[in-house]
Amino acid sequence: MSASNPYYVQAGPLETRFNSLFGKLARFGISLAGTAELSVRGRTSGQMQRIPVNPHTYEGEQYLVSARGHSQWVRNMRVAGGGELRVGRKVRAFTVSELTDPVEKAAVLRAYLEKWGWEVNRFFQGITAQSSDAELQAAAADHPVFRIAVSR
């Protein structure tokens, strides 16, 4: 996709309902396969926006990967520079740095797809954990990746 028209797969009505359910479960302390509820300040509204995410640990660091591409939470995160992850009463404030190096992103994406591919492969346009490094690097621009730094 081009910079003026970045890759993004909007959730349909059924997916929106499931996202709402998974977010509520995380808010009440039930994490399915490691999901958490992300809260990030809206770039125009200023209100906290919530969405379920799959925080991913790779080589000892935690990441947020946008399988759907340049989504609203990604755009908000770029402006806010951080947010909160919640599972029940456990809330972790964090800041982020967005990965820009396609080689570094490809390594995180491969590990992410190994764990979460069963749920997100359909958003990666044929790219899987078994794809070549070159294929993953080519897909990296379509899937923003943020390294999480937990605020103390």
Side-chain angles (χ1 to χ4, degrees), residues 52-128:
V53 292
N54 302 324
H56 180 66
T57 301
Y58 173 70
E59 293 189 346
E61 299 202 69
Q62 250 197 338
Y63 297 88
L64 291 174
V65 175
S66 181
R68 292 178 178 275
H70 297 267
S71 63
Q72 295 302 316
W73 77 257
V74 167
R75 295 169 189 179
N76 290 335
M77 186 66 67
R78 287 176 176 147
V79 172
E84 295 177 340
L85 288 172
R86 172 187 299 272
V87 177
R89 292 183 179 177
K90 183 178 179 182
V91 179
R92 294 184 302 144
F94 64 90
T95 58
V96 295
S97 56
E98 187 169 3
L99 302 187
T100 57
D101 176 30
V103 174
E104 184 180 17
K105 282 178 72 174
V108 175
L109 288 174
R110 182 181 305 284
Y112 180 80
L113 289 168
E114 285 171 356
K115 180 171 183 178
W116 296 102
W118 61 273
E119 181 183 354
V120 300
N121 270 348
R122 68 186 183 274
F123 304 122
F124 280 80
Q125 303 173 342
I127 302 298
T128 68

